[in-house]
Amino acid sequence: MSSDLTELYQQVILDHNRRPRNRGRIPNANRVAHGDNPSCGDQCTVYLRLDGDRIADLSFEGSGCAISQASASLMTTQIKGKTSAEARELYDHFHDIVTSGREPEEISDLAAFAGVHAYPARIKCATLGWHAVLNALKDDPTPATTENATE
């Protein structure tokens, strides 16, 4: 990866951490799920409004490291408007990026997290919000946790 691309990706993460998108509760959420990363203290609650099977609106609240907060922010921008299946497909794509370091063929903000693979403990930070939203989509009230996760 070129140093210009690395710098661009770092800027994407820093920007989403400093100016998170879709932060706060949406008043008309019909699904809520919480995620917890006990190893580092990251917390993420997602608020989701489904219209049929489409994610009509999505937001998050939470605290934690720059990786977890930037990832949750970026996640909301990527899956809003998608169906549950499309959101799951994006998660699978994101998970591959953060666990393998493989950059997607197309340039996307998700690729900004490719460097996370070099820090296995940080993979849990990057995927926390995604796990919470997957629980919300399944209407699973069980808090998502990275306690026993392999990622």
Side-chain angles (χ1 to χ4, degrees):
M1 182 180 341
S2 75
S3 63
D4 287 345
L5 198 51
T6 300
E7 187 174 321
L8 172 66
Y9 286 162
Q10 288 173 344
Q11 289 304 316
V12 168
I13 292 171
L14 290 172
D15 182 49
H16 274 274
N17 182 54
R18 288 184 193 128
R19 297 182 308 114
R21 283 42 154 206
N22 305 302
R23 182 182 282 282
R25 293 178 190 218
I26 53 173
N28 54 354
N30 53 19
R31 302 276 177 92
V32 176
H34 182 72
D36 176 41
N37 184 354
S39 65
C40 68
D42 293 341
Q43 301 279 321
C44 183
T45 301
V46 295
Y47 303 91
L48 177 66
R49 184 171 58 79
L50 282 178
D51 183 5
D53 188 43
R54 189 158 303 278
I55 300 165
D57 205 0
L58 173 66
S59 68
F60 80 101
E61 290 182 320
S63 61
C65 68
I67 296 290
S68 72
Q69 298 302 288
S71 178
S73 172
L74 181 63
M75 173 198 65
T76 66
T77 68
Q78 297 291 307
I79 68 172
K80 194 182 287 191
K82 303 280 193 255
T83 65
S84 295
E86 290 168 334
R88 177 65 201 203
E89 191 176 302
L90 269 173
Y91 165 75
D92 291 341
H93 181 63
F94 180 74
H95 186 263
D96 181 58
I97 290 168
V98 299
T99 57
S100 71
R102 278 190 299 269
E103 294 180 49
E105 291 178 17
E106 75 285 350
I107 299 286
S108 81
D109 286 350
L110 293 177
F113 290 87
V116 170
H117 86 282
Y119 307 95
R122 306 302 279 192
I123 294 170
K124 293 178 181 183
C125 302
T127 58
L128 180 63
W130 292 84
H131 285 294
V133 88
L134 292 176
N135 274 10
L137 288 169
K138 293 185 292 188
D139 204 14
D140 182 351
T142 309
T145 181
T146 59
E147 184 74 19
N148 299 316
T150 57
E151 48 202 55

